[in-house]
Amino acid sequence: MKSLSAAVITLNEESKIARALASLAPVADEIVVVDSFSQDRTVEICRKFATRIIQREWPGYRNQKQFATDQTSHAWVLSLDADEELSPQLQEELRRWKALEADAACGYWIPRMTRFMGRWIRRTSWYPDYQLRLFRKDSGRWEGGRVHESFRTNQPTGRMTGHLLHYTYSDLSEYLRQLDRFSELAALDAFESGRRVGYLKLALYPPLVFFRNYFIRLGFLEGVPGFAVSAMAAASTLFKQLKLWDLQRRAVGRERSAQ
């Protein structure tokens, strides 16, 4: 039977972390938590479940997840965010997988389903939101920018059918606060990679994102939550592009001042 390590990073997650760790307990042979000096009860709650708790200053999502992965003892690692939970179906699938001796894959994509505005979203670009979260840690590394980090491998991968359950924003205000923070980080990543935005992209991309989510990806069948998800996806695109445009404008201004 395979041994499985779970890796979780935390920062002030007292309202969510118990659910995440409790879902790992039936399938993980160890649970490693890397906490960025939480100021609430996060660490106290983690002590009830975790094999090891390491406190470390926050270096960014990608670096912290790589560090947590490196601290695990077993070859196979399951990475879980503090606002996620393994569904009962995924737990059972993982038990069966652990019992298999042979394994041609070095990683598994797991579908993620998000709960928002009182319902599970099964349409729009939010579903199925496949995440490579189960992997042999020697087969790749965490990569990405300031946001949208992911484990990447060039080795064979497979898919699981049980869901990661994602308990996202508690209300729209929380989403808007995160939208402001994440869009700024994403704009910085885009600017540093050489991407630029013009008026046509600013004008056309957000409506196209809404159309794709609400009509092509059938968000209208989700009622008001589906409309909200589609509108927020468009708003997220607009925010990132506006902040990228502002970075471009300021860079041009600095160049002219230097001349």
Side-chain angles (χ1 to χ4, degrees), residues 199-212:
Y199 176 74
L200 282 178
K201 283 187 178 180
L202 282 170
L204 296 178
Y205 274 27
L208 288 174
V209 169
F210 177 86
F211 183 85
R212 178 175 180 269

Side-chain angles (χ1 to χ4, degrees), residues 34 43 45 87 96-97 109-110 168 198 216 245:
V34 177
V43 172
I45 296 169
S87 67
R96 295 195 303 268
W97 167 81
W109 297 86
I110 303 174
T168 183
I216 298 177
W245 178 85

Side-chain angles (χ1 to χ4, degrees), residues 155-228:
Q155 303 299 312
T157 58
R159 286 193 176 188
M160 294 206 163
T161 57
H163 288 98
L164 279 177
L165 303 178
H166 185 205
Y167 296 86
T168 183
Y169 325 103
S170 57
D171 53 36
L172 287 174
S173 295
E174 181 182 352
Y175 173 81
L176 291 172
R177 289 192 297 271
Q178 183 162 306
L179 171 61
D180 182 54
R181 182 165 58 93
F182 278 21
S183 60
E184 183 169 350
L185 296 174
L188 284 168
D189 284 339
F191 183 78
E192 290 175 0
S193 69
R195 289 173 54 194
R196 297 296 182 262
V197 63
Y199 176 74
L200 282 178
K201 283 187 178 180
L202 282 170
L204 296 178
Y205 274 27
L208 288 174
V209 169
F210 177 86
F211 183 85
R212 178 175 180 269
N213 276 276
Y214 195 65
F215 294 104
I216 298 177
R217 299 297 296 270
L218 305 179
F220 65 89
L221 296 177
E222 298 284 357
V224 172
F227 176 83

Side-chain angles (χ1 to χ4, degrees), residues 60-78:
Y61 289 100
R62 177 194 63 206
N63 290 336
Q64 196 76 324
K65 286 191 174 183
Q66 184 62 56
F67 177 82
T69 298
D70 291 341
Q71 305 315 301
T72 59
S73 302
H74 303 304
W76 282 93
V77 175
L78 176 63

Side-chain angles (χ1 to χ4, degrees), residues 149-162:
E149 76 293 338
S150 60
F151 188 86
R152 296 178 188 174
T153 176
N154 57 11
Q155 303 299 312
T157 58
R159 286 193 176 188
M160 294 206 163
T161 57

